[in-house]
Amino acid sequence: PVEMNKAASAKYLDLVPVGTLPQQRDGAFRFGVSTFPSLYADALYVLDEELDRIFEVQSAREIIPKPLGDGKSTRFNALSIGTSAIFKDYDVKVRVDEFFGGHSAVLGNTGSGKSCTVATLLQSLFEKRDEYFARGATFLLLDVNGEYRTAFSELPKDIKRHYLKLEANPLAPPVVPLDPSETTSVFRLPHWFMSVEEWELLLRASERTQQPVLRTALGLSTLFAVNGAAALDELRNHILASCLLYVMQGDAGTPSKKDRITALLSIFHTDALNISAVHSKIEVKYGEMADAKGFSDLLTGLVRDDVSLPNYANRQFAFDDLEKALDLALLYEEAHGNRQIRDYCSQMITRFKWIREREEFAFLRVPPDQLQPFERDVVQFVERCVGLSREGGKFKKSSQVIILDMNEAADEVVEVASAVIARLIFDRLRKAEPRNRMPVNLVLEEAHRYVAERPSGYAIDASRIFQRIAKEGRKYGLFLMVASQRPSELSKTVLSQCSNFVVHRIQNPEDLQHIRQMTPFVSESVMKRLPSLPKQHAL
């Protein structure tokens, strides 16, 4: 047997230079290397304090001087989020401002410990029980697996939590709070808060034909929901008269014409056009209308030229009224010569009827009179979503961790609800003065389901708003933490804006390739270990 010559064998150390650390104790670490070490230069062990300098976490706690503090009390600058697997007993820390003041991604296969990481991050942020704990922070978790409520029940009692549950019956009583720090409610979303794009997403309206009709219908629902604005009466009369004239000119028999007119006027009516005003003219006698000519003349007199239809203005209306508004919009199109429009839109109308019947969309369809006053007002609704309440004209922080539990909801429900909530919060923070005063962190669990790179089979997708937040949210204090097991399916725009990555075990080659591209300064040898990381270990 050949004896191995251990003394003469060569050992190679593979180095990836990432930056420079000056010898002076107060010198800051810099990424990038301009002067490389010479051959045969000594390699040094790194000390804990040097690691702290490299990661810029030297003063993890800092004393707050007067006038903001009392000169004795402390607050966290950096958080310990785990222990290093390489440096013995060294705590891995993250800088609070850098980590929570930017977008971050927690990635890894199912069962690798993603949710555990998210929970640990927030628990360590809030575990400072004395002095200055993180009482300004606001976290809204979109929890699609229903696993965070108990994880946060052990936070210090000063940290208030609000638990929102998406129930099959939106009028059910809320669940009992776990402890005095928690409040609970049932999640209900007034449908008139939705933007036109979100209605298009909900009804899957196709671009060329169905979207214009849907926009008209939403405008009409707004037009007829406003009471008493005399300036709008001429417009209402014009729209109704155009549609009723079209019904009168149709081939249907007189009784069915009368039924159609009555049905329309029972929902949409004005002082000039309502059932009691026209009843005597459209009464059917011996198969004929009592005064068909007089009725047509009345309608013709109300029709105007070159009228522009109103835009949707998010005013309160009943969900079922939208079906009538869609019918009115189709009639209006037909009256203006677009005879095929009803066929083109049949798919959207069917989808609307399907949504009206489906239990999982009940949270959108709650009648306005069954909602609380603060739920009907969009400003107060959003403030409650981010844990604010008003007392005597002043804001009060009523909760810091808000969990929206959508565990039992289907993908398309999650898609609509998450997109609407994110947009409402984004719009509210953009209007806030002074800007960036109240940061909000949105934690998106299973994000690939609704922040997808490829939309799920139809033209509009929910990830648009998240892409916008990823690009512009930092200016206004809205940050994303995206947790997902499929990085390659996640929106590239959102991932490219993340400045922090916590990567657990990932085995799929596509996903691994994706992470290689996003984190260029991580060495190949570290990347090779990702498929075999044990549970609750992360890079």
Side-chain angles (χ1 to χ4, degrees):
V2 180
E3 286 267 330
M4 187 172 159
N5 183 350
K6 285 185 182 169
S9 65
K11 291 190 173 117
Y12 291 97
L13 184 61
D14 190 15
L15 290 181
V16 181
V18 288
T20 314
L21 187 68
Q23 281 184 325
Q24 314 90 308
R25 290 271 168 106
D26 55 352
F29 172 77
R30 283 202 319 276
F31 267 109
V33 181
S34 50
T35 314
F36 286 88
S38 58
L39 278 175
Y40 308 114
D42 290 342
L44 307 176
Y45 278 110
V46 68
L47 305 174
D48 283 5
E49 62 188 69
E50 287 163 349
L51 283 173
D52 280 353
R53 277 169 64 199
I54 291 171
F55 298 128
E56 298 179 5
V57 291
Q58 302 96 306
S59 48
R61 272 184 187 222
E62 68 171 3
I63 291 175
I64 306 179
K66 294 171 179 176
L68 288 176
D70 55 9
K72 290 187 291 228
S73 307
T74 61
R75 70 172 168 205
F76 281 147
N77 250 343
L79 296 178
S80 170
I81 58 165
T83 315
S84 169
I86 299 165
F87 305 106
K88 192 171 165 20
D89 298 334
Y90 178 70
D91 273 1
V92 177
K93 304 176 201 69
V94 294
R95 293 187 61 174
V96 174
D97 289 353
E98 260 71 18
F99 192 85
F100 294 103
H103 307 307
S104 46
V106 181
L107 309 169
N109 286 139
T110 180
S112 60
K114 286 188 308 298
S115 306
C116 184
T117 296
V118 173
T120 306
L121 275 165
L122 301 199
Q123 283 161 346
S124 52
L125 180 66
F126 288 122
E127 74 190 0
K128 190 175 197 305
R129 291 170 189 273
D130 52 346
E131 307 161 18
Y132 289 91
F133 56 87
R135 56 172 172 245
T138 304
F139 287 87
L140 171 58
L141 289 101
L142 300 184
D143 181 7
V144 293
N145 292 330
E147 56 193 5
Y148 281 107
R149 189 184 180 204
T150 44
F152 293 133
S153 60
E154 288 162 30
L155 292 179
K157 65 177 186 302
D158 295 324
I159 306 298
K160 301 280 186 275
R161 312 183 313 279
H162 186 66
Y163 175 71
L164 269 165
K165 177 99 168 78
L166 182 65
E167 297 276 13
N169 172 16
L171 298 170
V175 294
V176 180
L178 294 174
D179 53 57
S181 295
E182 184 184 63
T183 49
T184 59
S185 60
V186 175
F187 178 63
R188 307 193 289 222
L189 180 64
H191 50 268
W192 63 89
F193 288 178
M194 286 164 57
S195 69
V196 174
E197 290 77 18
E198 285 148 8
W199 278 106
E200 288 166 358
L201 168 70
L202 179 68
L203 297 181
R204 299 187 182 175
S206 65
E207 222 154 301
R208 298 240 168 90
T209 45
Q210 295 173 0
Q211 286 180 12
V213 170
L214 176 58
R215 283 166 189 251
T216 303
L218 287 166
L220 293 176
S221 67
T222 296
L223 178 70
F224 284 92
V226 185
N227 293 326
L232 298 174
D233 264 351
E234 191 177 355
L235 181 54
R236 293 189 187 106
N237 283 332
H238 160 78
I239 291 164
L240 272 177
S242 305
C243 295
L244 295 174
L245 267 175
Y246 178 71
V247 172
M248 288 292 285
Q249 290 155 3
D251 302 333
T254 304
S256 62
K257 280 184 186 173
K258 184 205 165 189
D259 291 346
R260 188 88 195 269
I261 291 166
T262 312
L264 265 177
L265 290 178
S266 65
I267 301 293
F268 305 106
H269 41 76
T270 62
D271 293 346
L273 285 177
N274 57 62
I275 292 174
S276 53
V278 304
H279 181 264
S280 56
K281 289 186 170 59
I282 60 169
E283 199 54 62
V284 179
K285 288 177 183 167
Y286 309 114
E288 292 298 323
M289 243 178 223
D291 185 7
K293 186 179 182 312
F295 184 51
S296 294
D297 290 347
L298 166 72
L299 297 177
T300 313
L302 293 169
V303 174
R304 298 282 172 269
D305 293 333
D306 59 9
V307 167
S308 61
L309 292 182
N311 287 327
Y312 172 51
N314 301 88
R315 289 204 181 87
Q316 185 176 311
F317 65 93
F319 192 84
D320 287 355
D321 286 356
L322 185 59
E323 186 178 2
K324 318 289 190 307
L326 282 163
D327 189 38
L328 193 62
L330 288 170
L331 267 176
Y332 190 75
E333 281 290 317
E334 286 171 334
H336 286 78
N338 194 346
R339 295 296 154 95
Q340 257 96 38
I341 193 72
R342 205 168 281 273
D343 293 342
Y344 292 148
C345 290
S346 59
Q347 199 181 349
M348 178 173 70
I349 305 291
T350 309
R351 169 112 178 133
F352 178 86
K353 289 176 176 167
W354 181 80
I355 284 168
R356 194 187 56 200
E357 303 305 321
R358 293 296 292 232
E359 198 177 55
E360 63 252 46
F361 286 103
F363 74 99
L364 272 180
R365 304 191 307 254
V366 181
D369 55 3
Q370 294 183 320
L371 291 167
Q372 303 279 356
F374 62 78
E375 287 177 297
R376 292 199 293 269
D377 173 43
V378 69
V379 175
Q380 291 183 55
F381 178 87
V382 177
E383 283 163 4
R384 285 176 70 86
C385 281
V386 295
L388 289 177
S389 56
R390 297 182 190 215
E391 278 183 17
K394 285 191 175 170
F395 282 123
K396 175 174 169 281
K397 196 102 180 70
S398 53
S399 42
Q400 289 186 249
V401 177
I402 300 103
I403 298 171
L404 172 51
D405 182 349
M406 296 189 276
N407 181 27
E408 287 144 40
D411 272 11
E412 51 192 336
V413 175
V414 171
E415 208 170 12
V416 171
S418 61
V420 178
I421 289 292
R423 178 191 53 84
L424 287 172
I425 292 172
F426 183 52
D427 287 351
R428 177 74 181 89
L429 291 180
R430 276 169 53 218
K431 292 182 188 128
E433 282 293 330
R435 196 150 96 173
N436 208 340
R437 180 72 184 279
M438 203 198 95
V440 175
N441 288 71
L442 283 181
V443 182
L444 313 178
E445 187 57 57
E446 301 286 3
H448 52 272
R449 284 172 58 178
Y450 46 96
V451 191
E453 174 59 25
R454 288 170 289 281
S456 47
Y458 40 97
I460 309 104
D461 64 299
S463 57
R464 269 189 206 170
I465 181 62
F466 293 106
Q467 291 175 1
R468 187 153 178 221
I469 292 170
K471 288 187 278 199
E472 302 169 31
R474 289 192 61 200
K475 290 197 281 279
Y476 306 106
L478 185 55
F479 307 101
L480 298 176
M481 184 187 282
V482 208
S484 171
Q485 44 189 300
R486 289 307 313 271
S488 56
E489 287 178 15
L490 261 174
S491 158
K492 286 190 175 64
T493 309
V494 171
L495 266 185
S496 67
Q497 298 294 329
C498 288
S499 43
N500 309 288
F501 292 93
V502 181
V503 188
H504 289 261
R505 183 182 71 245
I506 283 194
Q507 285 151 324
N508 184 315
E510 265 179 62
D511 293 335
L512 282 168
Q513 187 54 37
H514 214 71
I515 287 169
R516 268 195 193 92
Q517 291 163 358
M518 289 182 316
T519 51
F521 48 79
V522 176
S523 73
E524 195 58 32
S525 57
V526 172
M527 277 296 168
K528 282 185 180 142
R529 293 177 56 186
L530 272 183
S532 57
L533 277 184
K535 192 173 179 176
Q536 291 182 16
H537 283 60
L539 172 65

